Amino acid sequence: MTPRDASEPQPGRWSDLDRPPLGAAALRRALVRPGSLWSELDVVQRTGSTNSDLVDRAAKGAAAEGAVLVAEEQSAGRGRLDRRWTAPARSGLFFSVLLDPAEVPLARWGWLPLLTGVAVATGLSRAAGVDTALKWPNDLLVTVDGAERKTGGILAERAGDRGVVVGIGVNVSLRAEELPVPTAGSLALAGAAGTDRDPLLRAVLRSLEQWYGRWREAGGDAAASGLQETYAAGCATLGRTVRADLPGDRSVTGEAVAVDGDGRLVIATEEGVQEPVGAGDVIHLRPAGA
């Protein structure tokens, strides 16, 4: 699917006055500047997946590090484990960035989704005034009516030898009747101070630039950059009983006790084994503080 430029007049762009379109020119002026990580920023009206589009551009050499691609609507947005991510047009932030930390050892690139989670949570907390938490490895949680709800997710994909494309999706103004599943949430439902997506996107990208810079300057060392400690402090998974469904139809159940230096979740089982989990689907079995 060919993306359409959001600056072009489109039918229904203002059909929902609570969801105005993003201001691409203003975003570029604020974020794409000398010395900034962000090298270009494009806003398209609708596309299949910003991740797929940016991976394709990077593979063709048509995008450099710091490229940002934002969509007002995605028809084939993807989360982890090939799960679909759908939402009404202009109801959230749906964007991808191209990162290429060539000076960081490849073994440490696994921290990029977790780093992005910290940056997104930090940026949204500042700009929207909503308490956020992270579910390992890369879900963003908010509290709606006393219950934890997923309001965002992150997906990192290699872009050949051109680096990593990190996709971010955040539900901003979704109403209760628009939620795709009962466990979903949005910043609006969590009591956000504002749902104007322009300042939210600026806050998230500035936070991501700061965290990425610190991590890269530390050679990808999550401890030295403060990333490991900050992620653990904001991780709602730690201290809870969880089940990790792993590749190969295997699962591990126990208490999530730590995030190790490689970004893996360490689960202490009833057998007294501490097992690090690097990939899998983690389910919270016990509420926080229970």
Side-chain angles (χ1 to χ4, degrees):
M1 177 178 292
T2 302
R4 298 199 299 259
D5 193 310
S7 63
E8 297 175 3
Q10 302 292 340
R13 282 185 77 216
W14 290 89
S15 58
D16 189 334
L17 296 180
D18 291 330
R19 293 172 176 163
L22 290 165
L27 286 167
R28 280 192 286 268
R29 284 195 301 269
L31 295 163
V32 181
R33 62 191 190 283
S36 168
L37 168 64
W38 309 119
S39 56
E40 59 178 298
L41 188 149
D42 296 310
V43 179
V44 297
Q45 185 67 22
R46 189 172 190 268
T47 192
S49 161
T50 57
N51 254 36
S52 296
D53 292 344
L54 198 50
V55 166
D56 184 60
R57 282 172 51 183
K60 294 176 179 175
E65 181 176 43
V68 182
L69 179 61
V70 190
E72 295 283 36
E73 182 181 11
Q74 287 190 119
S75 61
R78 292 173 289 118
R80 292 181 64 248
L81 308 177
D82 286 331
R83 290 176 177 140
R84 286 299 184 96
W85 180 285
T86 59
R90 305 186 303 279
S91 66
L93 294 175
F94 319 116
F95 65 102
S96 299
V97 301
L98 175 60
L99 304 175
D100 187 11
E103 70 278 20
V104 173
L106 195 60
R108 293 176 171 174
W109 287 27
W111 271 100
L112 282 171
L114 283 72
L115 180 155
T116 303
V118 167
V120 172
T122 302
L124 291 179
S125 293
R126 290 173 180 167
V130 172
D131 287 334
T132 57
L134 298 165
K135 176 177 177 284
W136 188 92
N138 52 14
D139 286 346
L140 183 74
L141 306 178
V142 295
T143 300
V144 178
D145 297 329
E148 264 181 0
R149 301 286 186 87
K150 176 179 175 179
T151 195
I154 295 156
L155 177 66
E157 298 181 274
R158 285 299 303 270
D161 59 355
R162 307 289 299 182
V164 176
V165 169
V166 183
I168 298 105
V170 179
N171 293 332
V172 175
S173 64
L174 258 71
R175 305 160 185 127
E177 65 273 14
E178 295 174 321
L179 297 175
V181 293
T183 54
S186 70
L187 298 181
L189 291 173
T195 57
D196 185 341
R197 293 175 304 140
D198 281 66
L200 294 179
L201 182 57
R202 289 197 300 269
V204 167
L205 287 173
R206 285 170 176 155
S207 179
L208 180 53
E209 180 178 11
Q210 291 168 1
W211 273 108
Y212 180 65
R214 289 174 59 178
W215 175 77
R216 192 164 58 174
E217 287 172 7
D221 188 321
S225 64
L227 176 59
Q228 185 177 4
E229 180 181 7
T230 304
Y231 184 89
C235 183
T237 303
L238 295 181
R240 301 171 78 148
T241 301
V242 302
R243 186 183 76 243
D245 294 332
L246 310 177
D249 293 326
R250 191 170 74 89
S251 66
V252 176
T253 301
E255 182 182 354
V257 295
V259 175
D260 71 12
D262 294 320
R264 299 176 299 180
L265 184 68
V266 180
I267 299 176
T269 70
E270 291 183 353
E271 293 76 25
V273 176
Q274 292 202 348
E275 181 159 350
V277 172
D281 195 20
V282 172
I283 296 132
H284 290 174
L285 300 178
R286 176 171 59 83

